[in-house]
Amino acid sequence: MNPANVPAQSGGALASRGRPWATLPGATALGRLARMSNEAGHRAAHPEPVADPSPGEARHRWRNPGQLWRTALATCVVAVYTVMAPFGYALFMAWLMLPTRDPNRRGRRVQAIVRRAFGLMHDVLRWCGLLEFDHRSLRGRFPDGPFVIVANHPTLPDSSALFASVTDLCAVVRADLYRKAWLRPLVEGARHLEGGRGNPLDAARVVEAGVARLNDGFRLMMFPEGSRSPPGDLRPFRRSAFEIACRARVPVVPVVIRCRPVWISKEVPLLRPPAQRPVLTLDVLDPVDPADFGYDSRGMLQAIERRLRGLALDQDASIAPPRADGR
Amino acid sequence: MQDTLETELKQLIVDALMLEDVNPEDIKTDEPLFVEGLGLDSIDALELAMAIHKKFGVRTSADDENNRQNFHSVASLAAFVRAGQAKNAAAAEAAASEAG
């Protein structure tokens, strides 16, 4: 099944799915904690606007039991990841160092594995009550064929959420990460792109590589702010994503990402989770055709930035449900 | 002569990047072109490099580590263009003497 084509579902269905452990007799302490969390965080399943805590508020809530056990769980998740990840990377590296005649075909296989792994990770995070997100229940649908996703970037897991939700997805990876010896085989093997290195003309390389990926049938994800969004605001958008879409003549799909209360942002670290369970939502807006802007990336940027900014910063914004034709 | 090249570059920036609200005389010679100065972005740099190649015959390599310095301001761009033109002239002279 292609998750990019899974029809949208209501948020209510999301809350009761994917937690078969909770009904098992003799559930573990972790499971009981998860259920306590779910009851305490009932609002998470029925999201209402929740003010993002300031770092000061987060400190005040340190003694809140909900935050304490979430911190313990987050620490466990990080510890498990730290222990297990090297094995996963080693397997990938061994595989990706083998020669291949078709790097795109292997890239799609790598992406499929990564997509399932991120989907599983979000299932575990949801089951633990650490982060409410289900990649099977997106609001809106992605189109068929190549496109460029542009989105705001309020939290780190939003990128893994997109990876879990979209097939054949490439991303632009920060140059310092891309060049790390332990990560490079994986990001290269998955056909990701290396970001700029501070040279004003790096955009030429990024744009060229992005257009090539789209011509090969991949989808491309870019955060035009270039970094995680500041609290309650968005950074100015950069033009590369729109230029790539214009040159490749593929649509841009804007995605509004919300994480309330915010967690793993620049200001709220991983090991300081909020007292309430954070809810991550992705609202997939209608594709925007660059032809409507005469393939002018500047005009396209302005229109999409205005729309995304308005929706992402509006605490009460509601996104229209998907249309009957599934778009 | 120096002023002419810098004025030409200012006009080129406005024309090539289609800056509707900027006049060439508004651009200060030593003002940064990117982000905090004129506010150009990386795609603008790309378009500007192509326009410079077309107008002055000076090619910019995407891998050149001096790009950040060369594209800092109109003054640094003018120095880059002069150096590139001098290099091109020397190469043409060498080719002519070899042929002769």
Side-chain angles (χ1 to χ4, degrees), chain A residues 27-38:
Chain A
T28 62
L30 202 63
R32 284 196 294 276
L33 277 173
R35 285 204 302 280
M36 285 165 59
S37 149
N38 294 343

Side-chain angles (χ1 to χ4, degrees), chain A residues 172-176 194-199 202-203 205-206:
Chain A
V172 178
V173 180
R174 253 177 31 211
D176 59 323
E194 183 182 6
R197 299 192 293 269
N199 185 329
D202 276 349
R205 181 175 45 77
V206 176

Side-chain angles (χ1 to χ4, degrees), chain B residues 7-61:
Chain B
T7 307
E8 279 185 64
L9 279 169
K10 290 176 185 179
Q11 187 66 53
L12 183 70
I13 289 168
V14 171
D15 292 343
L17 307 181
M18 293 182 283
L19 304 179
E20 291 168 358
D21 302 328
V22 180
N23 293 316
E25 53 269 25
D26 296 337
I27 302 173
K28 292 174 188 160
T29 304
D30 293 317
E31 181 185 43
L33 293 173
F34 296 90
V35 192
E36 75 270 28
L38 195 56
L40 304 185
D41 61 25
S42 55
I43 305 298
D44 291 325
L46 194 59
E47 290 171 352
L48 187 54
M50 289 167 67
I52 286 173
H53 178 233
K54 197 171 171 186
K55 186 172 175 69
F56 300 107
V58 177
R59 192 180 288 274
T60 312
S61 165

